[in-house]
Amino acid sequence: MPETSRRGLLFGTAAVSAGAFLTACTSNEPKAADAARSGGAAADTEPGKHVTIGFAGPQADHGWLNAINENATSRAAKYSDVTLETTEGSNDTAAQIGQVKTLINKKVDVLVVLPADGKALTQVGLEAMRAGIPVVNLDRIFASPQAYRCWVGGDNYGMGLNAGTYIGERLKDKADAKVVELAGIDNLELTKQRSQGFADALKNYPGIELVARQAADFTVESGQAKTAQLLQAQKRIDALWNHDDDQGVGALRAIQQAGRDEFLMVGGAGSRSAMDAIKADDGVLKATVLYPPTMAASAIDLARALAQGKGVGGLAELEIPTSLTLYSAVVTKENVDQYLPTGFS
């Protein structure tokens, strides 16, 4: 995951998928239906030079990761001038390196890679670039900028910052407010970034105290177990921030089993089940902070533009940018209908 340095009050403005910026310089008007399905404005769909995009994605063992693969394949299918060569998703570093090498040997025009481990796959990214195949590095960043032409991904620091700011605004008039945090996997850089953003946001609200934190494993089972521990240890809380909506399913089970409803909960990533619960507004879950899997669709747009030599509509530059960080919007009951089409299963 990338190092991010989002400093500022970010919640309250609408999120825009990278796809909103990817209309090529010669494009027609964006199509509303396509925009609704992909979370942003449609890229240029006018046929151009035929391109073959190699896609090496993750093993779909998590709702968000499955949504990454689905966004990539469905986006590519919209273009009559794109052939998508996909690998079998893998979280095994050695296997994924072999898969990317196979795509290089097939001489695809451009690669889109979400690496199981960015550092470990840096060398094969360099190999592709040296072979003249531009690489779009998706989310988990390679260790060297020479290993990719463009990086596109989410803002982990911004997730924490926006979650903390939302909670802070909700609790700022409450004396002695107590907050707990259900994090992801602590040895991942992304978890550290999310927690740092959350802590930095809470510093703006002196009356709010982070009283407990548990690290879960992005699974339903761990989310349930760790939340149960938090609730048992803390007899009163005012807010819970959960880093991930998949583990949040387990967290909500633990909350229901404990019969606790005195606090508000904020999720993370933007699952459909979380958005449905927010819209129903009949439980503790009041918001979720996006980490949009639509980034994979945007990566396909970028790859196509690279291979066809197109720029990005709305910008003066002739080339696409070297990096694109997606915004972590806060989804609440007030704006959930806008984001429901982007919710993942």
Side-chain angles (χ1 to χ4, degrees), residues 10-305:
L10 299 178
F11 85 100
T13 56
V16 180
S17 165
F21 299 103
L22 297 176
T23 307
C25 294
T26 58
S27 71
N28 56 351
E29 288 297 314
K31 298 173 178 59
D34 191 35
R37 286 189 292 271
S38 63
D44 174 23
T45 56
E46 291 299 317
K49 182 183 75 171
H50 187 274
V51 299
T52 299
I53 300 173
F55 176 70
Q59 182 178 338
D61 56 359
H62 180 280
W64 186 86
L65 294 173
N66 183 62
I68 283 287
N69 292 339
E70 289 182 348
N71 269 271
T73 54
S74 62
R75 192 65 161 191
K78 296 183 187 301
Y79 299 120
S80 61
D81 54 10
V82 169
T83 296
L84 189 68
E85 290 272 356
T86 62
T87 65
E88 183 178 349
S90 178
N91 291 333
D92 180 83
T93 297
Q96 194 177 30
I97 289 172
Q99 291 169 350
V100 175
K101 284 179 176 287
T102 297
L103 291 172
I104 293 171
N105 291 335
K106 287 184 175 181
K107 297 183 172 13
V108 296
D109 295 302
V110 61
L111 275 167
V112 175
V113 182
L114 195 160
D117 182 316
K119 183 177 180 180
L121 266 81
T122 298
Q123 193 59 43
V124 77
L126 287 167
E127 183 179 332
M129 292 288 287
R130 289 166 182 162
I133 301 173
V135 177
V136 177
N137 181 193
L138 181 57
D139 199 44
R140 300 170 188 166
I141 198 164
F142 293 139
S144 169
Q146 296 183 62
Y148 59 89
R149 166 58 181 82
C150 176
W151 173 86
V152 56
D155 185 355
N156 288 292
Y157 180 89
M159 278 187 75
L161 186 70
N162 291 358
T165 302
Y166 175 82
I167 288 172
E169 288 297 305
R170 290 287 298 264
L171 301 181
K172 64 183 179 181
D173 296 325
K174 186 176 182 65
D176 191 30
K178 300 181 184 301
V179 175
V180 297
E181 179 181 0
L182 185 67
I185 302 172
D186 261 345
N187 64 356
L188 295 181
E189 188 63 25
L190 71 93
T191 300
K192 298 173 186 176
Q193 291 167 357
R194 292 178 188 184
S195 288
Q196 186 61 58
F198 189 62
D200 287 351
L202 293 184
K203 290 175 184 176
N204 296 318
Y205 304 93
I208 300 175
E209 181 184 4
L210 180 63
V211 296
R213 181 183 182 279
Q214 285 279 3
D217 300 316
F218 292 138
T219 67
V220 173
E221 295 75 18
S222 182
Q224 184 171 350
K226 296 299 184 180
T227 302
Q229 292 176 22
L230 284 170
L231 295 176
Q232 187 173 20
Q234 304 297 324
K235 300 307 178 186
R236 179 185 71 83
I237 62 175
D238 299 293
L240 181 155
W241 181 44
N242 161 52
H243 286 207
D244 175 73
D245 285 334
D246 272 25
Q247 68 185 24
V249 173
L252 288 169
R253 287 178 187 169
I255 292 166
Q256 185 177 30
Q257 289 172 357
R260 300 281 292 272
D261 62 1
E262 80 278 8
F263 58 90
L264 66 92
M265 176 176 166
V266 176
S271 74
R272 180 61 189 245
S273 64
M275 292 190 195
D276 286 341
I278 291 164
K279 184 170 183 174
D281 196 26
D282 55 3
V284 298
L285 186 59
K286 302 301 181 185
T288 187
V289 187
L290 295 187
Y291 199 81
T294 50
M295 65 178 71
S298 297
I300 295 298
D301 289 339
L302 287 162
R304 177 174 175 261

Side-chain angles (χ1 to χ4, degrees), residues 313-326:
L315 296 180
E317 288 72 26
L318 298 176
E319 301 286 348
I320 69 166
T322 56
S323 65
L324 189 58
T325 303
L326 278 64

